[in-house]
Amino acid sequence: MFISKLSKLGACTVQKYIKAAPMDSMSRKAHFSLGEYQNSLALMLKRFSTTAADNAFEKKDEEQKRISVTFVDQDGDEKHIKVPVGMSMLEAAHENDVELEGACEASLACSTCHVIVMDVDYYNKLEEPTDEENDMLDLAFGLSETSRLGCQIIANPDIDGIRLAIPSATRNFAVDGYKPKPH
Ligand code: FES
């Protein structure tokens, strides 16, 4: 809006100047150079306005590809983060210093990334857990009706606003000989 007004103002000013100028040989030269100036100004403003619009669009597009997620820790403290679509909740937690374990690094060999989806409506929006996830969840400490493994919840627009509670404890042990790395 501002750029469009600026552009109109610039064009009007130049046009007024051109009309006021007498058309002798000197002023024809001035008229010519003013015409060029007017074109350059219009081009410059157009480029500027296009770039600004593109940037705004890209920024909006970027935001649309992220969802809001809230982690609630054992003390009830909340951490609100933005998670790119396609990223797991485990990765998102680690990128944002949320204390969620992930001993097997998402290979479905532990239950340390156990989270509880706080709103059943969001839980129902998630894809069904696989048998492997259910097997690991059976071993999770403090299992609830809306428990999931954080590494298996992938950000998508349907779960924008999801709230995940981190249980007060996890069971961390090797499964099938898996040796978690220190973390
Ligand atoms: Fe081990 Fe999720 S990190 S199952």
Side-chain angles (χ1 to χ4, degrees):
M1 178 71 88
F2 170 74
I3 292 164
S4 154
K5 277 188 180 165
L6 185 67
S7 174
K8 276 184 190 161
L9 185 66
C12 283
T13 307
V14 171
Q15 273 170 357
K16 272 182 199 163
Y17 189 84
I18 291 168
K19 277 180 192 162
M23 291 299 285
D24 57 19
S25 62
M26 283 295 285
S27 64
R28 264 195 293 278
K29 267 191 192 166
H31 187 271
F32 178 71
S33 53
L34 278 168
E36 282 184 335
Y37 169 72
Q38 186 182 23
N39 288 341
S40 307
L41 181 68
L43 192 63
M44 191 178 73
L45 286 169
K46 190 173 172 222
R47 274 193 194 141
F48 178 71
S49 109
T50 306
T51 309
D54 285 351
N55 287 346
F57 182 77
E58 274 168 22
K59 196 165 174 221
K60 197 165 177 237
D61 199 37
E62 195 58 31
E63 278 173 8
Q64 279 173 348
K65 288 181 194 157
R66 289 173 172 263
I67 64 166
S68 298
V69 174
T70 302
F71 282 97
V72 183
D73 71 13
Q74 298 85 351
D75 299 325
D77 292 335
E78 299 190 354
K79 184 148 192 178
H80 306 279
I81 60 172
K82 291 280 183 188
V83 182
V85 168
M87 179 180 273
S88 78
M89 294 303 126
L90 179 65
E91 289 173 274
H94 289 180
E95 281 204 357
N96 291 277
D97 299 322
V98 173
E99 288 192 18
L100 179 65
E101 288 188 56
C104 77
E105 295 172 0
S107 58
L108 276 175
C110 75
S111 60
T112 59
C113 63
H114 174 208
V115 290
I116 296 168
V117 182
M118 296 178 77
D119 183 335
V120 74
D121 288 341
Y122 279 99
Y123 178 83
N124 291 334
K125 288 179 187 175
L126 299 173
E127 284 191 14
E128 290 283 310
T130 60
D131 290 345
E132 290 83 358
E133 183 179 351
N134 277 328
D135 288 347
M136 285 300 117
L137 279 170
D138 285 342
L139 305 171
F141 183 87
L143 188 68
S144 82
E145 288 290 306
T146 58
S147 286
R148 291 296 302 259
L149 294 179
C151 67
Q152 301 302 306
I153 301 177
I154 308 301
N156 75 75
D158 290 346
I159 59 167
D160 188 17
I162 195 168
R163 291 162 60 80
L164 302 169
I166 301 173
S168 54
T170 59
R171 266 191 199 119
N172 188 357
F173 52 86
V175 178
D176 293 337
Y178 177 82
K179 299 258 189 313
K181 292 179 198 155
H183 57 91

